[in-house]
Amino acid sequence: MIKSFVNRVIASVKDPERDFSERIFLIYSIISEIAVIIALVADIILKENIGEIITLILIITLVPTITFVCLFREKVGFAIRLIVISLVFAVLPSLFFFGGGLEGGGIFWFIFAFMYVGLVISGALKTVVLVFLFLLTLACYLTAYFHPEFIVGHSRAVYFVDSFVSVILVGAVCYIMTWSQNRLFMDENARARKEAERAEELTLAQNRFFSSMSHEIRTPINSILGLNELTLRNMDATDDIVKNSTGIQGAGKLLLALINDILDFSKMEAGSMDIVPVDYHVGDLISEIVNMIWLKANDKGLKFNVSIDPKVPSVLYGDEVRLKQIMINLLNNAVKYTQEGSIDLYVESDETNDKTTVLSISISDTGMGIKKEAIPYLFDAFKRVDEEKNRQIEGTGLGLSIVKQLIELMDGTVTVNSVYGEGSTFTVTVKQGVSDSAPIGELNIHSEQMAKRSKYESSFKAPEARVLIVDDNEMNLEVEKKLLTDTESSIDTVLSGREALEKTVQVHYDVILMDHLMPKMDGIECLENIRSQTGGLNRNTPVIVLTANAGSSNMDLYNRSGFDGYLVKPVSGEALEEMLMKHISREKLIIQGKMMRMREDIDATTGYLRKAQVIITSSSMCDLPEKVTKKHNIPIIPFMIRTDKGVFKDGVQMDPN
C-alpha cells in the first residue's frame, strides 16, 4: 500500500502533462511530512503538551490519506484547498497555543505557511487565504500580549530546544522547497527547448514535404495538360476527341487550383508561409490580372470594369506573387458567384510618406450577395455559405480563408460589404513600399485573346533560333519540345545538368529552359557552372527556370540565383512561346498574326473618380467647420430648414422661396 502510494506520487510528480502547481504540491507534501515526523519525535523526547503531539499525529496520518484519495480520484486541486484551509484554521493555531506561543517552535511554522500558501494555490483563493493568514498571525500575537494565560507555557530549556529544532526544520523545508521548484522549472525549460527543437524540425520537414509535394504533383499535371494541348492542336482529331480534351483541360486546371489551395493552406497552418517582398510594376501586375479575368468574365457574358487611380506609384515594393494571388482569388470568386451584370476592380493608394503607401483594392460584383448572418463565417476554412444555393459551384472553400491569412501576413485588412441578392464588395488595404514614386498615369490595358481559328498557329517562328531544354523527366521534355514544334526553332533536350554542360560548350543557344530539382546537379548549380564555364558558348545566354516549385520564396530564390525568367509547371505552349519571344533576338523572330485585340480596350484611368465619404443630414443639422470639409473633400447635402420667414439651407443662407 505504502509502496503503491509512493510510486503513484513519484509518477505524478514526473508527469509533464499534470498541472505544475499540483506537482509542486505533491513534492511539498512529501517534504513537509518528513519534517513533521522529525518534529513529532522531538516533541515526544521533550515531553511536549499532549495537544501539540496529537496535532502532529493528525497531520502525519490525514495529509497522506487526503493526498492519496484525491490523487487516485484525480482531485488533487481539492486536496490542495482542503490541506491549505486546515493548515491556516486548525494546524497553526493548535501549534501556537499548545506549543508555547511566542516561546515555542510553532511560531516559526507561520513563515513556512506563508511560503507554502504562496506556492501551491493561485487566483483569488490565494489572496483570501493570505489575508486570513495575516489576520491569524496578528490575532496570535495580540493574544500572547494581552492574554498569555490562554497559551500553554514552556520552560526556558524546552523553548531553546524546541525553537532550535523548528528553525532548522523550517529552514531546511524552505530550502528544499525552493530547490525542488527550481529543479522542476529547469526540467520544464529543458522539455520546452526539446519541444521547440522538435517543432522546428517538424516545420523544416513539412517545408520539405510541401516543396516535394508541389513538385511531385505538378510534374505529372504538366505532362497531362501539355499532351492534352497537343491533342487539341491536332487537326485530325474528331469533334468528340476535341470535346473530351477540352473537358480534360478544364478539369486539369481546376485540379491544379485545388492543389494550390490545399498546399497554401497547409503551409499557413504549419506557419511556413513567408512573405517575400520584391520590386514590382503595378501596371504589369494589373494588366496580367485583367487579361486573365476578362476572358472568364467574357465567357459568362459579364462586363468587367477597371478603374485605377492615376496617382498610384508605378513601382511598389511588396510580395507581388501573394498580392496577385489575393486579387485573383477575389476576382475569381466574383465571376463564379455572378450570373449577370458586371465585375468592378477599383485600385487606389493613399501615400503615407515618401517610402510607403497604402494600396486599396476593391472588387465589386452584381452577384447573389451574402446573407448578413453568414458574413462572420465567410473567411473560415472549408466553410461555404449558402451551401444549398451554391452546391454547383466548384472549389475547396479555402479561397477566402487563404486570402484573409495572406493579408494578415502582410499586415493588411480585408472587409466585405454585401446585400443579399444584389451583390458584394470586398476591400483589401495593404501597406506597400514605394520604389518609384512616379505616378502610373494613364493605364490603357489592351486585353488580348486568341483568335478563333481552325488550325493552331504559333505566336512566332524562329527557324534560326536554338533552344535547350534541361529536365530529368523524359515525358516533360517530350511535351515541352512538341509544344514548341510549330515555332520551327531547333530544340535540343537533355536529362541532366552534366549533359547540359556538355552541350553548352558545343552549341550556342538563344534560350535555355532549365528545370530546378534534378538529381546530382540541380538547376541552380548548373546555371552557375554555365555562367563560369571555361570555353562555354552560353555564359550570357538567357536561362529560364522551368519549375514545379511555385511560391514567392522560390521566385525570390531564382531571381537571386541569376535566372532571366521564371515559368511554373504546368506550363502551356502559349506561356512558353511568350517567354521565348522576350529573349530571342528580334532579328530571328518572325511574328505571326494569330493574336488579335478584343473589340474594346479597358481604359483603366480615364474617368477615374476618387471615392469620397458623403454626409447626409436627415433629421439634424450638420455644422462641420468649412476647413474640415475642404481638407477631407467631404460633400455636404444641406438640411432644409423651414421657418415662418421662409425656407433655408443649413450652412447656406438661402433666400425665401
Side-chain angles (χ1 to χ4, degrees), residues 165-184:
V165 171
S166 295
V167 167
I168 295 299
L169 287 177
V170 170
V173 168
C174 290
Y175 168 78
I176 296 172
M177 287 168 64
T178 306
W179 176 85
S180 59
Q181 186 182 43
N182 288 338
R183 182 60 186 268
L184 274 183

Side-chain angles (χ1 to χ4, degrees), residues 230-242 454-456:
L230 292 172
T231 302
L232 289 170
R233 292 183 184 182
N234 188 357
M235 294 302 300
D236 296 328
T238 64
D239 289 344
D240 283 342
I241 291 174
V242 171
S454 57
K455 182 180 179 181
Y456 175 80

Side-chain angles (χ1 to χ4, degrees), residues 459-465 510 577-592:
S459 306
F460 69 92
K461 293 189 183 299
E464 297 181 12
D510 293 275
E577 291 175 10
E578 184 180 342
M579 182 62 73
L580 292 182
M581 285 179 68
K582 290 180 180 178
H583 295 285
I584 295 175
S585 63
R586 293 292 177 185
E587 295 78 16
K588 295 183 179 181
L589 285 176
I590 303 171
I591 307 298
Q592 300 290 97

Side-chain angles (χ1 to χ4, degrees), residues 389-404:
K389 194 172 182 179
N390 301 330
R391 65 183 182 276
Q392 301 299 328
I393 295 177
E394 298 166 321
T396 57
L398 291 175
L400 289 178
S401 175
I402 291 171
V403 164
K404 188 173 189 299

Side-chain angles (χ1 to χ4, degrees), residues 588-645:
K588 295 183 179 181
L589 285 176
I590 303 171
I591 307 298
Q592 300 290 97
K594 79 156 193 173
M595 300 298 289
M596 62 174 290
R597 287 186 181 165
M598 51 189 267
R599 287 170 295 180
E600 56 177 345
D601 293 341
I602 298 176
D603 197 344
T605 51
T606 302
Y608 163 84
L609 293 174
R610 181 180 178 84
K611 289 183 178 178
Q613 294 178 327
V614 179
I615 293 181
I616 302 175
T617 59
S618 55
S619 60
S620 62
M621 292 181 290
C622 181
D623 295 322
L624 290 177
E626 186 177 355
K627 64 179 182 180
V628 173
T629 58
K630 286 185 176 180
K631 178 181 178 181
H632 297 286
N633 190 26
I634 302 175
I636 303 293
I637 298 178
F639 178 69
M640 302 300 294
I641 304 173
R642 297 180 181 275
T643 70
D644 55 357
K645 295 183 179 180

Side-chain angles (χ1 to χ4, degrees), residues 95-108 144 151-154 159:
L95 291 177
F96 183 82
F97 286 100
F98 292 123
L102 297 177
E103 295 182 352
I107 193 63
F108 296 104
I151 298 170
V152 177
H154 271 161
Y159 165 65

Side-chain angles (χ1 to χ4, degrees), residues 201-415:
E201 288 174 4
L202 180 61
T203 300
L204 291 174
Q206 285 177 324
N207 286 341
R208 288 192 295 270
F209 169 77
F210 293 137
S211 178
S212 173
M213 180 65 72
S214 175
H215 184 273
E216 295 303 318
I217 292 175
R218 286 171 176 274
T219 297
I221 291 179
N222 184 62
S223 299
I224 292 169
L225 294 181
L227 289 170
N228 194 67
E229 184 177 337
L230 292 172
T231 302
L232 289 170
R233 292 183 184 182
N234 188 357
M235 294 302 300
D236 296 328
T238 64
D239 289 344
D240 283 342
I241 291 174
V242 171
K243 181 180 178 182
N244 292 340
S245 294
T246 302
I248 292 171
Q249 203 77 359
K253 289 181 178 178
L254 175 61
L255 174 63
L256 185 65
L258 297 179
I259 290 167
N260 288 341
D261 280 352
I262 292 169
L263 289 176
D264 281 345
F265 183 76
S266 300
K267 281 186 177 181
M268 290 174 184
E269 288 294 291
S272 57
M273 178 68 77
D274 295 321
I275 296 300
V276 183
V278 296
D279 289 337
Y280 65 91
H281 292 270
V282 178
D284 292 345
L285 180 141
I286 293 173
S287 295
E288 183 179 343
I289 291 172
V290 168
N291 277 294
M292 185 185 305
I293 301 300
W294 184 88
L295 291 172
K296 294 183 178 182
N298 187 62
D299 287 344
K300 289 188 72 172
L302 304 174
K303 186 171 179 58
F304 187 23
N305 303 311
V306 183
S307 182
I308 312 297
D309 182 355
K311 294 180 182 178
V312 172
S314 57
V315 182
L316 297 178
Y317 181 73
D319 194 327
E320 178 188 14
V321 172
R322 295 306 172 193
L323 188 62
K324 191 185 300 181
Q325 184 178 358
I326 290 167
M327 294 176 68
I328 289 173
N329 250 329
L330 292 175
L331 285 165
N332 275 336
N333 265 9
V335 173
K336 278 198 300 185
Y337 292 99
T338 303
Q339 301 307 316
E340 59 181 21
S342 63
I343 309 295
D344 297 296
L345 171 63
Y346 187 95
V347 181
E348 67 176 354
S349 68
D350 288 316
E351 188 175 336
T352 54
N353 54 55
D354 293 338
K355 295 183 179 179
T356 60
T357 187
V358 175
L359 197 64
S360 177
I361 303 162
S362 292
I363 294 164
S364 301
D365 63 65
T366 56
M368 59 184 66
I370 305 161
K371 292 179 179 178
K372 184 178 179 181
E373 61 270 19
I375 289 179
Y377 309 102
L378 196 60
F379 296 100
D380 289 354
F382 306 105
K383 180 78 175 179
R384 299 185 69 180
V385 299
D386 216 355
E387 189 74 43
E388 183 179 348
K389 194 172 182 179
N390 301 330
R391 65 183 182 276
Q392 301 299 328
I393 295 177
E394 298 166 321
T396 57
L398 291 175
L400 289 178
S401 175
I402 291 171
V403 164
K404 188 173 189 299
Q405 292 186 68
L406 285 175
I407 290 170
E408 288 175 350
L409 281 174
M410 299 167 75
D411 293 326
T413 61
V414 57
T415 57

